[in-house]
Amino acid sequence: MIDLRSDTVTRPSADMLAAMTSAPLGDDVYGEDPTVNQLEETVADLLGHEAGLFTVTGSLANLLGVRALVPPGGEVLCESSAHIARAELGGHAAVNGVTTRTWTAPSGQIDLEQIRALIAPDLGPYFVVTSAVSVENTHNFGGGAIQHGYDALADELEARGLPLHLDGARLWNAAVATGRTPASYASRAAAASVCLSKGLGAPVGSVLVGSTELIREARVWRKRLGAGWRQAGVLAAAGLYALEHNVARLAEDQANARAIAQVLADAAPGSVKPDQVETNIVVADLAATGKTVAEVVESAKAEGVLIGGVGATQLRVVTHLDASAEDCRKAAAVLASILS
Ligand SMILES: *Cc1c(COP(=O)(O)O)cnc(C)c1O
């Protein structure tokens, strides 16, 4: 099987496993796991922040990050297909007591005009107060799109004194694709999360970064939610290994995704615009093909290729370090024969 459902499906390599089994460990609830501490410091430095917090998932890092910026009853603005709005099972409402209002834009892009119109700093006794804006970079359901309006939004929010939350699950991809440093994005946000278990190939883990004070609070809430760690250095070691070895190579995944998009665009014209595939995710729209998502997913599976549906007419193909260029060529050929 060639599994292109997600970049989370990777297995730790032998070298990553060796790094995990030789990591120095301690009890992280006491702040005594040296490997966890090293990971948190490393990621905070890479992202231009004072402090970091290792979390079991990106959803937890987002939950803690948004919580730190938005009080219960407040709102965070985000794009309507953002992971925090669509794919965290309502956690921000159910756990944080936070509501969302959304803008909608092609590829999940920042739309400054819409955001300006949504921001409600203090409109009187009937209106929920906007406490933060959240941006996803790259944008998952937006087809791995890089947020090109990021700096302009950060400038605007800074001028208004409104904090920015960055869901940077795949910030590494944005950095590699643009040649920018991860810090050039993340340092503009008051709280930012990154995943180690997506394209970087670690089996588990995300990191939330922010000020020392914000992270101190988030650490209390992580424990309160039952997600304190003990000897989690075995997992943090995988993250450190991934940061050292698996960031620059994301360029290969991005080239593979672009090549897949080109094949799909030829087989099913209009389904995808290859020049808009900027990173490692291809979202293809089947509307014009007359085929359903379920049909295509099933046919692909029967031919040894796993992909996922992410909307009524949308398929998602995600490249990663356990799918070689040859695997991706084969998968693209299978999908092309199904679509045409
Ligand atoms: C995967 C992902 C997350 C976090 O997912 P977990 O499965 O909870 O680790 C957050 N944001 C985006 C954009 C993602 O793609």
Side-chain angles (χ1 to χ4, degrees):
M1 279 287 176
I2 300 171
D3 192 347
L4 301 178
R5 288 171 300 169
S6 174
D7 43 9
T8 58
V9 300
T10 58
R11 306 294 157 85
S13 65
D15 287 347
M16 183 181 277
L17 285 168
M20 294 167 75
T21 55
S22 62
L25 305 177
D27 190 328
D28 182 58
V29 169
Y30 293 105
E32 290 173 2
D33 189 301
T35 310
V36 171
N37 293 343
Q38 193 194 336
L39 175 69
E40 292 177 344
E41 281 161 29
T42 300
V43 175
D45 281 351
L46 276 172
L47 299 185
H49 278 268
E50 285 175 355
L53 184 71
F54 185 39
T55 60
V56 65
T57 59
S59 296
L60 181 59
N62 284 340
L63 200 65
L64 296 172
V66 168
R67 219 211 74 81
L69 305 178
V70 185
E75 73 180 5
V76 59
L77 306 182
C78 62
E79 203 275 329
S80 60
S81 61
H83 199 276
I84 66 163
R86 219 192 142 193
E88 295 178 9
L89 305 189
H92 297 268
V95 180
N96 286 339
V98 164
T99 56
T100 50
R101 271 190 310 136
T102 57
W103 72 91
T104 300
S107 307
Q109 288 293 322
I110 287 164
D111 182 326
L112 207 43
E113 280 312 305
Q114 289 189 59
I115 295 169
R116 282 193 190 113
L118 286 170
I119 291 174
D122 182 8
L123 298 181
Y126 296 111
F127 296 99
V128 62
V129 172
T130 305
S131 299
V133 177
S134 181
V135 166
E136 193 171 307
N137 198 11
T138 64
H139 198 295
N140 182 348
F141 301 125
I146 295 162
Q147 295 289 350
H148 297 289
Y150 187 83
D151 294 316
L153 175 65
D155 290 344
E156 170 107 11
L157 295 181
E158 195 175 299
R160 290 172 180 256
L162 202 55
L164 174 63
H165 170 261
L166 170 61
D167 179 352
R170 295 185 184 81
L171 187 65
W172 317 109
N173 288 90
V176 167
T178 58
R180 287 178 58 159
T181 61
S184 75
Y185 289 112
S187 65
R188 306 296 314 267
S193 64
V194 287
C195 282
L196 306 165
S197 59
K198 296 270 170 82
L200 299 196
V204 170
S206 281
V207 179
L208 172 71
V209 298
S211 68
T212 305
E213 187 47 41
L214 184 146
I215 293 298
R216 190 183 296 128
E217 266 279 287
R219 194 177 295 279
V220 170
W221 272 93
R222 187 188 62 176
K223 182 78 173 74
R224 188 167 281 143
L225 293 171
W229 300 110
R230 300 297 180 180
Q231 287 71 20
V234 284
L235 301 173
L240 284 164
Y241 180 93
L243 287 168
E244 197 174 324
H245 296 94
N246 294 343
V247 176
R249 65 150 306 286
L250 291 171
E252 295 169 34
D253 300 341
Q254 299 179 171
N256 290 339
R258 180 70 69 93
I260 291 171
Q262 193 61 61
V263 172
L264 298 189
D266 291 343
S271 60
V272 56
K273 296 195 179 77
D275 59 341
Q276 287 180 9
V277 174
E278 298 177 305
T279 61
N280 69 323
I281 300 177
V282 181
V283 171
D285 198 305
L286 302 182
T289 66
K291 300 210 160 57
T292 68
V293 170
E295 247 179 292
V296 176
V297 167
E298 274 313 302
S299 307
K301 188 174 177 183
E303 298 197 47
V305 176
L306 298 178
I307 51 168
V310 292
T313 61
Q314 291 174 322
L315 284 181
R316 190 183 71 162
V317 181
V318 188
T319 59
H320 54 77
L321 81 172
D322 284 357
S324 66
E326 181 54 25
D327 290 337
C328 291
R329 268 193 294 277
K330 279 189 204 155
V334 164
L335 293 174
S337 76
I338 294 167
L339 291 180
S340 57

